[in-house]
Amino acid sequence: MNDVIIVGGGPAGLYAGLRLAEAGNTVALYEEHADIGKPVHCTGVLARDAFNVFGLSGDAVLNELSTVRFFAPSGEMVEHSTPDVQAVVIDRVLFDSQLSARAERAGVAIHHARVSSVDIEPDGVRVTAGNTQATARVILLACGANYALQRRLGLGLPRLMLQSAQAELPAERPGEVEVRFGADIAPGGFAWAVPVMRQSGASVRVGVMCDGDARRYYSLMLDWVSRRWGVRTDGPKPRQKILPLAPIARTYGDRVLAVGDAAGLVKPTTGGGIYYSLLSGQLAAETLAGALGRDQLQRDSLSAYEKAWRKHLGSELRWQLILRRIAQRMSDADIDSLFELAETDGIMPLVRRTATFNRHREFIIALLKHPPARRVLFRAALA
């Protein structure tokens, strides 16, 4: 019997497995795809400081980001640049494969099979993976935005989800990061274009998160980017997935924890999840290492994990969710009004003073205290 079975070989599962194995636990990880890191589901933008915080190699960094251009439904553009580099674009396949190699060296046994069922028993956990069964003392769900197992185990679903679609395509004239808002391009969300600089040449990651029909809105964003960046529109089809924007009802249970996207732990404002995946994986590993040593693996003991991530992320998630729910109710006229304020009435100084790549709480509070912006946001919230 293993100490831990992990379902999912993304950053959350791999990092948790690495830390648990380093603490002396036996860990078996099951990844349904044949290759770690494939297919790529995310934009691959990560906070620069994550590499130091989590002790990771920077070999997967492709290029740095310091400027973003925001486009209103009216076409008005506002540009924001940071004095230092806060975010980088990474090669997700290389990033995940390097993390996988570290985990295996630490002792994690990685199997390529889909886990189809999980049974919590009095003395352990039994999973069916492919044509085999395996047992462990506890299970860690790191299966991304797939909530079948969470539902069966009584952990619930994220309270808020959007659709997303994304692809990476060669670009002749890559520009700065561009973000577009409006009902005609990304209802309830936004669309983006992120430059990617590989040794083989430049490309762009084009994507959209929206209330519905993500494939259609992706095509509209691609048409817009193709003219500006020199992108061919006959490339690979976009990857589509559900994007969680709020935590699931409960991230722990008897002999089970959920981390990263599988727990709904992403930034509600942007949908970014790599940093929160690594952090939740680390906190889960710390909780499990102690609980395994004490052989206390029931929900009362494992609830310490949820207390830990709420201590680190709870306030941030609450404020981001407030803004996300308001943003989903905003009309194009409301969004245009905010852009006008950004140009004329002091919002950009708030951004420069309070906003960071991973932490949005301080900016959101400052925005809601800004009288003209507050009027726009409250009007949308009460509409």
Side-chain angles (χ1 to χ4, degrees):
M1 177 183 284
N2 298 287
D3 290 320
V4 185
I5 284 176
I6 297 175
V7 183
L14 290 168
Y15 195 70
L18 168 65
R19 294 306 181 206
L20 283 163
E22 289 177 337
N25 300 286
T26 57
V27 181
L29 184 149
Y30 289 85
E31 164 55 42
E32 65 176 322
H33 296 105
D35 298 305
I36 294 290
K38 296 180 181 179
V40 176
H41 291 286
C42 82
T43 309
V45 178
L46 182 59
R48 164 62 83 181
D49 64 0
F51 299 93
N52 290 330
V53 171
F54 299 107
L56 303 173
S57 166
D59 292 347
V61 173
L62 295 173
N63 51 283
E64 299 176 333
L65 302 174
S66 60
T67 298
V68 57
R69 293 171 178 158
F70 299 99
F71 290 83
S74 66
E76 182 176 357
M77 188 269 287
V78 172
E79 183 173 294
H80 171 60
S81 297
T82 56
D84 55 353
V85 175
Q86 293 190 9
V88 296
V89 178
I90 61 172
D91 182 326
R92 267 299 303 270
V93 175
L94 179 58
F95 182 85
D96 287 18
S97 63
Q98 287 185 332
L99 198 50
S100 173
R102 281 187 63 188
E104 286 191 288
R105 288 195 298 270
V108 177
I110 295 180
H111 308 276
H112 293 276
R114 179 178 176 273
V115 172
S116 57
S117 68
V118 174
D119 295 305
I120 307 297
E121 301 174 347
D123 58 349
V125 178
R126 183 177 303 275
V127 306
T128 300
N131 297 320
T132 65
Q133 289 196 333
T135 58
R137 297 168 65 193
V138 67
I139 189 166
L140 186 66
L141 301 180
C143 44
N146 182 341
Y147 299 101
L149 295 178
Q150 291 88 323
R151 292 182 66 179
R152 293 175 202 165
L153 297 174
L155 303 183
L157 298 170
R159 300 190 304 276
L160 179 63
M161 293 185 281
L162 291 179
Q163 295 184 25
S164 69
Q166 177 178 268
E168 181 176 329
L169 303 161
E172 296 175 0
R173 303 181 301 276
E176 305 289 354
V177 176
E178 295 184 353
V179 178
R180 291 188 67 193
F181 299 92
D184 290 339
I185 194 69
F190 60 89
W192 64 88
V194 174
V196 180
M197 304 301 178
R198 300 181 182 274
Q199 289 185 349
S200 57
S203 59
V204 56
R205 290 175 184 161
V206 180
V208 61
M209 68 180 216
C210 57
D211 283 337
D213 203 357
R215 179 70 179 272
R216 172 174 174 262
Y217 291 111
Y218 164 85
S219 296
L220 294 174
M221 181 62 177
L222 177 58
D223 286 343
W224 190 75
V225 172
S226 66
R227 297 190 297 270
R228 298 165 59 82
W229 292 34
V231 179
R232 292 181 58 178
T233 59
D234 58 351
K237 295 180 180 180
R239 295 287 306 179
Q240 295 180 249
K241 73 168 189 173
I242 295 297
L243 187 64
L245 294 175
I248 59 177
R250 184 161 42 85
T251 59
Y252 65 94
D254 291 338
R255 298 185 182 273
V256 58
L257 294 180
V259 295
D261 285 18
L265 295 178
V266 302
K267 286 184 278 190
T269 47
T270 67
I274 303 175
Y275 192 96
Y276 286 11
S277 288
L278 294 168
L279 177 59
S280 60
Q282 174 177 288
L283 296 173
E286 292 171 356
T287 300
L288 287 180
L292 287 163
R294 298 187 301 271
D295 197 26
Q296 296 177 349
L297 299 170
Q298 301 307 309
R299 71 169 65 187
D300 287 348
S301 178
L302 297 188
S303 67
Y305 161 66
E306 186 158 310
K307 293 175 183 176
W309 72 250
R310 287 192 181 279
K311 178 180 178 181
H312 285 269
L313 298 175
S315 180
E316 190 69 33
L317 290 172
R318 282 193 298 274
W319 283 101
Q320 288 192 34
L321 269 170
I322 288 171
L323 185 60
R324 164 52 47 201
R325 293 189 184 281
I326 294 173
Q328 288 188 262
R329 298 176 67 89
M330 293 179 71
S331 67
D332 283 359
D334 293 327
I335 299 171
D336 285 336
S337 294
L338 282 183
F339 270 76
E340 291 171 7
L341 291 175
E343 291 283 7
T344 63
D345 204 10
I347 287 182
M348 292 314 293
L350 288 182
V351 174
R352 288 188 286 270
R353 188 170 69 249
T354 63
T356 64
F357 184 75
N358 271 335
R359 299 287 176 175
H360 304 166
R361 172 184 174 275
E362 188 177 349
F363 167 68
I364 294 168
I365 293 173
L367 189 66
L368 290 170
K369 288 182 177 179
H370 185 272
R374 184 171 64 240
R375 284 193 292 271
V376 174
L377 294 172
F378 276 36
R379 183 174 65 236
L382 297 175

